[in-house]
Amino acid sequence: MAQQISSKLALVSGASTGIGYYLAEQCAKHGYDLLIAADESRIAEAGEALKSNGVDVQYVEADLATEEGVDKFYAAAKGRPIDLLLANAGRGLGGDFLDQDFREARRVVDTNITGTIYLIQKVGREMRSRRDGRILIVGSIAGFTPGTYQAVYNGTKAFLDSFSFALRAELNDSGVSVTCLMPGATETEFFARAGMLDTKIGSGKKDDPAEVARIGFEAMMRGDGDVVSGWKNKMQSALANIMPASVLAEQHRKQAEPGGAQKH
Ligand SMILES: NC(=O)c1ccc[n+]([C@@H]2O[C@H](COP(=O)([O-])OP(=O)(O)OC[C@H]3O[C@@H](n4cnc5c(N)ncnc54)[C@H](OP(=O)(O)O)[C@@H]3O)[C@@H](O)[C@H]2O)c1
C-alpha cells in the first residue's frame, strides 16, 4: 500500500536540539510532515521523538555549512513541494577574534550565512514558482549589536536580519512570506557549543526555547516581517536602534567577556 502522506511539508534545519527542535515540534503539532537535518547523529533521536506527534518525519545527517550538505538535505524532499522552510541551523563562537581558530570562525560564517542562504535560495525558487510558501529565518537580536568577544557571530546575525527583510521585499506579492525570528539569550546548547559558559550571558538566566519557537512559528504563519521574542529583548533591540555602536560594543563586552561569569 502506498504510504499515506499529508499534503503539507516543513523543512527545519538544525532541529536536533534547542530552538530548532521546538520549531519542528510546532510544525508537527500543526499537522506538517517534517524533513529535518543536523550535522550530528543526534538528529535521529530528535526525529524519533517528533514522530509522537503523528506526522511523517524524515531526518538527515548533513553538514549544512557545505553546499554538498545542503544539497543532500534538499534532495531528501524528493521533489515533494515544501510548504514551510525554517532556516534555523546556526552556531556561535566566543572569545577574542584574534585568538580564535580561523577554521572555527569560518565555520560560523559558513553555517550561519553561506549554508543558510544556499538552502533558502533552493527552496525559495521552488516556492516562488508555486506562488506559495513561508520562510522563517532565525536571526537574533545579536544582529543589532557589535558582538565584543562574539564578533563573527553577531556579524552573521546582522547579515541574516538584513537579508531577511531584503528577501521579503523582493518576494512581495509572490505568495511567499519571509519572517525573521530574533531571539535573545535562550536556554539551549548554543553557549556550551560556543565555549561561552564562563561568560555572564552564558551563565545567566535565559528564555525558554519552546516559547521562543512558538512565538516564531506563529509570526511566520501570520506572515509578519520580524518578531523579537520576549519583552526584555524587545526593549534591548529598541535601545540598540538609538544607541551608538561604540556604547553597544562596550555593553556587549560585559556580557560576553571570557571569565565574566565570576566577576558578577
Ligand atoms: N540560544 C540563543 O541564545 C540564541 C539567541 C538568538 C538566536 N539563536 C539562534 O538560534 C538558532 C538555533 O540555535 P540554538 O540556540 O537552538 O542552539 P543549539 O541547541 O546549539 O542548536 C543548533 C542546531 O543547529 C545545528 N547545526 C549547527 N551547525 C550545523 C551545521 N554545520 N550543519 C547542520 N546543523 C548544524 C545543531 O546540530 P549539530 O550539533 O548536529 O550540528 C543544532 O541542531 C541558531 O541559528 C542561533 O544562532 C540562538
Side-chain angles (χ1 to χ4, degrees):
M1 205 171 80
Q3 191 194 5
Q4 191 84 29
I5 53 170
S6 99
S7 57
K8 301 186 287 183
L9 176 65
L11 255 65
V12 188
S13 71
S16 60
T17 58
I19 298 169
Y21 176 83
Y22 290 106
L23 284 172
E25 187 179 66
Q26 281 290 325
C27 297
K29 283 188 191 304
H30 288 82
Y32 288 84
D33 285 345
L34 291 174
L35 173 57
I36 59 175
D39 191 27
E40 291 167 15
S41 57
R42 271 203 293 170
I43 193 65
E45 279 166 50
E48 292 304 322
L50 288 163
K51 284 182 182 171
S52 64
N53 294 289
V55 294
D56 183 65
V57 182
Q58 305 289 327
Y59 44 85
V60 176
E61 208 179 306
D63 182 359
L64 300 176
T66 66
E67 280 186 38
E68 301 72 40
V70 173
D71 287 339
K72 182 179 171 190
F73 183 31
Y74 181 72
K78 299 193 176 105
R80 194 174 156 193
I82 297 160
D83 299 281
L84 307 180
L85 170 63
L86 298 93
N88 162 81
R91 58 179 63 243
L93 184 63
D96 291 65
F97 170 67
L98 294 185
D99 295 331
Q100 288 172 348
D101 177 338
F102 186 72
R103 281 164 302 189
E104 281 188 52
R106 181 171 175 172
R107 191 157 172 74
V108 174
V109 175
D110 289 345
T111 304
N112 299 7
I113 298 182
T114 315
T116 298
I117 64 170
Y118 182 49
L119 177 64
I120 290 170
Q121 190 182 60
K122 285 178 100 74
V123 177
R125 282 177 177 164
E126 183 211 302
M127 287 178 168
R128 183 181 58 182
S129 69
R130 284 188 293 116
R131 297 193 60 77
D132 190 33
R134 297 190 183 281
I135 299 173
L136 181 75
I137 299 174
V138 181
S140 173
I141 64 164
F144 300 134
T145 301
T148 312
Y149 301 122
Q150 231 182 338
V152 173
Y153 173 73
N154 283 36
T156 65
K157 291 294 162 172
F159 178 101
L160 286 180
D161 293 352
S162 163
F163 174 83
S164 183
F165 277 103
L167 183 64
R168 178 180 173 82
E170 290 179 15
L171 288 173
N172 194 18
D173 294 329
S174 70
V176 182
S177 65
V178 182
T179 302
C180 189
L181 168 62
M182 300 168 179
T186 305
E187 199 60 68
T188 68
E189 300 190 9
F190 176 88
F191 292 97
R193 285 173 163 152
M196 293 181 68
L197 290 181
D198 65 342
T199 63
K200 191 177 177 207
I201 193 170
S203 61
K205 189 170 159 19
K206 302 184 194 62
D207 296 335
D208 171 12
E211 179 64 4
V212 170
R214 183 190 63 76
I215 289 167
F217 180 83
E218 288 175 2
M220 173 184 66
M221 296 312 279
R222 284 193 303 269
D224 294 352
D226 67 317
V227 61
V228 174
S229 48
W231 67 268
K232 260 185 161 174
N233 300 324
K234 281 188 175 55
M235 238 166 59
Q236 211 175 310
S237 58
L239 280 174
N241 279 325
I242 51 170
M243 281 162 77
S246 55
V247 175
L248 293 169
E250 278 310 314
Q251 282 186 348
H252 203 279
R253 172 197 299 281
K254 294 184 194 113
Q255 291 296 323
E257 188 174 12
Q262 287 83 38
K263 291 189 188 166
H264 301 275

